Amino acid sequence: MILRFETDRLILRPFEESDAPFLFELNDDEEVMRYTGDIPFKNIEDARKFVLDYINNPQGQIKKYSMGRLAVIRKEDDAFIGWTGLKYHQEGDFVDTGYRFIKRFWGGKGYATESTRRVLQHAFEDHKLEVVEAHVHEHNYGSQRVAQRLRMRLDHRFLWSGTKPARCYKITKDDFNNS
Ligand SMILES: CC(C)(COP(=O)(O)OP(=O)(O)OC[C@H]1O[C@@H](n2cnc3c(N)ncnc32)[C@H](O)[C@@H]1OP(=O)(O)O)[C@@H](O)C(=O)NCCC(=O)NCCS
């Protein structure tokens, strides 16, 4: 399956080695990382190793499930602005959608919504999924707004990693096709 998609303003494609400096920059920002539960890369080399493993590891999302987080590139200037994409969680047997953008590209420009809408289409058309989830920290209002704009419904609240209050949003294939 070719993981390359296009929207009006954006290209979605698998990470490339040359994305490492941008992934480093993305994660090297406390405000970006606040609600993600992730930690920054130590340096660009660390980000480069992550990328190479992410795209090449036979047990990784891309090779094993033909899905994964994808780089989002703005067409007008080829800028790497962040990522969006699916992830299969074996432990709960569900697929979630996640998104993360460099801060200067936030703020109602609609990039998160536009790119993730294309990811949902890929989930339902290519993978024939029935439902996709999004897990969002209770205080991550921007991310909740993205989920709502995508017509995802609040399904339940839960404790993320057993400690952090979070919301589980879901969207079904039918809801997506009728939205
Ligand atoms: C969450 C995130 C992707 C949103 O990006 P964005 O570029 O603002 O998203 P969009 O422009 O597509 O739409 C977001 C909507 O939420 C609103 N919004 C963004 N940040 C907000 C905030 N802190 N509080 C309230 N609303 C917010 C935007 O104004 C826009 O609203 P609108 O529909 O009324 O125009 C971005 O803030 C981000 O990358 N955060 C860090 C990583 C992260 O938390 N990822 C999600 C983990 S679950």
Coordinates of all heavy atoms in Angstrom, one line a residue, residues 26 31-33 35-36 97-102 105-114 135-137 140-146 149 160, ligand 1:
L26 N 10.3 19.8 16.4 CA 8.9 19.6 16.8 C 8.8 19.2 18.2 O 8.1 19.7 19.0 CB 8.3 18.5 15.9 CG 6.9 18.0 16.2 CD1 5.8 19.2 16.0 CD2 6.5 16.9 15.3
E31 N 5.7 23.1 25.0 CA 4.3 23.4 24.8 C 3.7 22.3 23.8 O 2.5 21.9 24.0 CB 4.1 24.8 24.2 CG 2.9 25.5 24.8 CD 2.7 26.9 24.1 OE1 3.7 27.6 24.0 OE2 1.6 27.2 23.8
V32 N 4.4 22.0 22.8 CA 4.0 20.9 21.9 C 3.8 19.6 22.6 O 2.9 18.8 22.4 CB 5.0 20.8 20.7 CG1 4.7 19.5 19.9 CG2 5.0 22.0 19.8
M33 N 4.8 19.3 23.5 CA 4.8 18.0 24.1 C 3.9 17.9 25.4 O 3.7 16.7 25.9 CB 6.3 17.7 24.5 CG 7.2 17.7 23.3 SD 6.7 16.5 22.1 CE 7.7 15.1 22.6
Y35 N 0.9 17.6 26.4 CA -0.1 16.6 26.7 C 0.1 15.3 25.9 O -0.8 14.5 25.8 CB -1.5 17.2 26.2 CG -1.8 18.5 27.0 CD1 -2.0 19.7 26.3 CD2 -2.1 18.4 28.3 CE1 -2.3 20.8 27.0 CE2 -2.4 19.6 29.0 CZ -2.5 20.8 28.3 OH -2.8 21.9 29.0
T36 N 1.3 15.1 25.4 CA 1.5 13.9 24.5 C 2.0 12.7 25.3 O 1.9 11.6 24.8 CB 2.5 14.2 23.4 OG1 3.8 14.5 24.0 CG2 2.1 15.4 22.6
T97 N -5.9 7.7 15.8 CA -5.3 8.7 14.9 C -4.7 9.7 15.8 O -5.2 10.1 16.9 CB -6.4 9.3 14.0 OG1 -5.7 10.1 13.0 CG2 -7.4 10.1 14.6
G98 N -3.5 10.2 15.5 CA -2.8 11.2 16.3 C -2.2 12.2 15.4 O -2.1 12.0 14.1
Y99 N -1.9 13.4 16.0 CA -1.4 14.5 15.1 C -0.5 15.4 16.0 O -0.8 15.5 17.2 CB -2.5 15.3 14.5 CG -3.8 15.3 15.3 CD1 -4.0 16.1 16.4 CD2 -4.9 14.4 15.0 CE1 -5.2 16.1 17.2 CE2 -6.0 14.4 15.8 CZ -6.2 15.2 16.9 OH -7.3 15.2 17.6
R100 N 0.5 16.0 15.4 CA 1.4 16.9 16.2 C 2.0 17.8 15.2 O 2.6 17.4 14.2 CB 2.4 16.0 16.9 CG 3.3 16.9 17.8 CD 4.4 16.0 18.4 NE 3.8 14.9 19.2 CZ 4.5 13.9 19.8 NH1 5.8 13.9 19.7 NH2 3.9 12.9 20.4
F101 N 1.9 19.1 15.5 CA 2.4 20.1 14.5 C 3.4 21.1 15.2 O 3.2 21.4 16.4 CB 1.2 20.9 13.9 CG 0.5 20.0 12.9 CD1 -0.5 19.1 13.4 CD2 0.8 20.0 11.5 CE1 -1.1 18.2 12.5 CE2 0.1 19.2 10.7 CZ -0.8 18.3 11.1
I102 N 4.4 21.6 14.4 CA 5.3 22.6 14.9 C 4.5 23.9 15.2 O 3.5 24.2 14.5 CB 6.4 22.9 13.8 CG1 7.2 21.7 13.6 CG2 7.2 24.1 14.2 CD1 8.2 21.8 12.4
F105 N 2.8 26.6 13.1 CA 1.8 26.2 12.2 C 0.4 25.9 12.8 O -0.5 25.5 12.2 CB 2.2 25.0 11.3 CG 3.5 25.2 10.6 CD1 4.7 24.6 11.0 CD2 3.5 26.0 9.5 CE1 5.9 24.8 10.3 CE2 4.7 26.3 8.8 CZ 5.9 25.7 9.2
W106 N 0.4 26.2 14.2 CA -0.9 26.0 14.9 C -1.8 27.2 14.6 O -1.4 28.2 14.1 CB -0.7 26.0 16.4 CG 0.0 24.9 17.0 CD1 0.7 23.9 16.4 CD2 0.2 24.7 18.4 NE1 1.3 23.1 17.3 CE2 1.0 23.5 18.5 CE3 -0.2 25.4 19.5 CZ2 1.4 23.1 19.8 CZ3 0.2 24.9 20.8 CH2 1.0 23.7 20.9
G107 N -3.0 27.1 15.2 CA -3.8 28.3 15.4 C -4.8 28.5 14.3 O -4.8 29.6 13.7
G108 N -5.7 27.6 14.2 CA -6.8 27.8 13.3 C -6.5 27.8 11.8 O -7.4 28.3 11.0
K109 N -5.3 27.4 11.4 CA -5.0 27.3 10.0 C -5.7 26.1 9.4 O -5.8 26.0 8.2 CB -3.5 27.3 9.7 CG -2.8 28.6 10.2 CD -1.3 28.5 9.8 CE -0.5 29.7 10.2 NZ -0.3 29.8 11.6
G110 N -6.1 25.2 10.3 CA -6.8 24.0 9.9 C -6.0 22.9 9.3 O -6.5 21.9 8.8
Y111 N -4.6 22.9 9.5 CA -3.8 21.9 8.9 C -4.0 20.5 9.6 O -4.0 19.5 9.0 CB -2.3 22.3 9.1 CG -1.9 23.5 8.2 CD1 -1.0 24.4 8.8 CD2 -2.4 23.6 6.9 CE1 -0.6 25.5 8.0 CE2 -2.0 24.7 6.2 CZ -1.1 25.7 6.7 OH -0.7 26.7 5.9
A112 N -4.2 20.6 10.9 CA -4.4 19.3 11.7 C -5.7 18.7 11.2 O -5.8 17.4 10.9 CB -4.5 19.6 13.2
T113 N -6.8 19.5 11.1 CA -8.1 18.9 10.6 C -8.0 18.4 9.2 O -8.4 17.3 8.9 CB -9.1 20.0 10.7 OG1 -9.1 20.6 12.1 CG2 -10.5 19.5 10.5
E114 N -7.4 19.2 8.3 CA -7.4 18.9 6.9 C -6.6 17.6 6.7 O -7.0 16.7 5.9 CB -6.7 20.0 6.1 CG -6.6 19.8 4.6 CD -6.1 21.0 3.9 OE1 -6.5 22.1 4.2 OE2 -5.4 20.9 2.9
H135 N -7.3 9.6 21.4 CA -7.1 9.7 22.8 C -6.5 11.1 23.1 O -5.4 11.4 22.7 CB -6.3 8.6 23.4 CG -6.9 7.2 23.2 ND1 -6.3 6.1 23.5 CD2 -8.1 6.9 22.7 CE1 -7.1 5.1 23.2 NE2 -8.2 5.5 22.7
V136 N -7.2 11.9 23.9 CA -6.8 13.3 24.1 C -6.9 13.6 25.6 O -7.8 13.4 26.3 CB -7.8 14.2 23.3 CG1 -7.4 15.7 23.5 CG2 -8.0 13.8 21.9
H137 N -5.8 14.3 26.0 CA -5.8 14.8 27.4 C -6.9 15.7 27.7 O -7.3 16.5 26.9 CB -4.4 15.5 27.7 CG -4.1 15.8 29.1 ND1 -4.8 16.8 29.8 CD2 -3.3 15.2 30.0 CE1 -4.4 16.8 31.0 NE2 -3.4 15.8 31.2
N140 N -6.3 19.3 26.8 CA -5.8 19.6 25.5 C -6.9 20.1 24.6 O -7.4 19.3 23.7 CB -5.1 18.4 24.9 CG -4.2 18.7 23.7 OD1 -4.3 19.8 23.2 ND2 -3.4 17.8 23.3
Y141 N -7.3 21.3 24.8 CA -8.5 21.8 24.1 C -8.3 21.9 22.6 O -9.3 21.7 21.9 CB -8.9 23.2 24.7 CG -9.1 23.1 26.2 CD1 -8.2 23.8 27.1 CD2 -10.0 22.3 26.8 CE1 -8.3 23.8 28.5 CE2 -10.2 22.2 28.2 CZ -9.3 22.9 29.0 OH -9.4 22.8 30.4
G142 N -7.1 22.3 22.1 CA -6.9 22.4 20.7 C -7.1 21.0 20.0 O -7.8 20.9 19.0
S143 N -6.6 20.0 20.7 CA -6.7 18.6 20.1 C -8.2 18.1 20.2 O -8.7 17.5 19.2 CB -5.8 17.6 20.9 OG -6.0 16.4 20.3
Q144 N -8.9 18.5 21.2 CA -10.3 18.2 21.3 C -11.1 18.8 20.2 O -12.0 18.3 19.6 CB -10.9 18.6 22.7 CG -10.4 17.7 23.8 CD -10.8 18.3 25.2 OE1 -11.8 19.0 25.3 NE2 -10.0 18.0 26.2
R145 N -10.7 20.1 19.9 CA -11.4 20.8 18.9 C -11.2 20.1 17.5 O -12.1 20.1 16.7 CB -10.9 22.3 18.9 CG -11.5 23.2 17.9 CD -12.8 23.8 18.4 NE -13.5 24.5 17.3 CZ -14.6 24.1 16.7 NH1 -15.3 23.0 17.1 NH2 -15.1 24.8 15.7
V146 N -9.9 19.7 17.3 CA -9.7 19.0 16.0 C -10.6 17.7 15.9 O -11.2 17.5 14.9 CB -8.2 18.6 15.9 CG1 -7.9 17.7 14.7 CG2 -7.3 19.8 15.9
R149 N -14.0 18.8 15.1 CA -14.1 19.2 13.7 C -14.2 18.1 12.8 O -14.7 18.1 11.7 CB -13.0 20.2 13.4 CG -13.1 21.5 14.0 CD -12.0 22.5 13.5 NE -12.1 22.7 12.0 CZ -11.4 23.6 11.4 NH1 -10.5 24.3 12.0 NH2 -11.6 23.8 10.1
W160 N -5.3 8.0 31.3 CA -4.2 7.7 30.4 C -3.0 7.2 31.2 O -2.6 7.9 32.2 CB -3.8 9.0 29.6 CG -3.1 8.8 28.3 CD1 -2.4 7.7 27.9 CD2 -3.2 9.7 27.2 NE1 -1.9 7.9 26.6 CE2 -2.4 9.1 26.2 CE3 -3.8 10.9 27.0 CZ2 -2.2 9.7 24.9 CZ3 -3.6 11.5 25.8 CH2 -2.8 11.0 24.8
Ligands
LIG1 C1 -3.6 20.0 18.7 C2 -3.0 20.6 17.5 C3 -2.6 19.6 16.4 C4 -4.1 21.6 16.9 O1 -3.5 22.3 15.8 P1 -4.2 23.5 15.0 O2 -3.3 23.8 13.9 O3 -4.6 24.5 16.0 O4 -5.5 22.7 14.5 P2 -6.6 23.2 13.4 O5 -6.2 24.6 12.9 O6 -6.8 22.1 12.4 O7 -8.0 23.3 14.2 C5 -8.0 23.5 15.6 C6 -9.2 24.2 16.1 O8 -8.9 24.2 17.5 C7 -8.7 25.6 17.9 N1 -7.7 25.6 18.9 C8 -6.3 25.4 18.7 N2 -5.7 25.4 19.9 C9 -6.6 25.7 20.8 C10 -6.6 25.8 22.2 N3 -5.4 25.8 22.9 N4 -7.8 26.1 22.9 C11 -8.9 26.1 22.2 N5 -9.0 26.0 20.9 C12 -7.9 25.7 20.2 C13 -8.4 26.3 16.7 O9 -8.6 27.7 16.8 C14 -9.3 25.7 15.7 O10 -10.6 26.1 16.0 P3 -11.7 26.5 14.9 O11 -12.2 25.2 14.3 O12 -12.8 27.2 15.6 O13 -11.1 27.3 13.8 C15 -1.7 21.4 17.8 O14 -2.1 22.3 18.8 C16 -0.6 20.6 18.3 O15 0.2 20.1 17.5 N6 -0.5 20.4 19.6 C17 0.7 19.7 20.2 C18 0.6 18.2 20.0 C19 -0.7 17.6 20.5 O16 -1.2 17.9 21.6 N7 -1.3 16.7 19.7 C20 -2.5 16.0 20.1 C21 -2.3 14.9 21.0 S1 -3.8 14.1 21.4

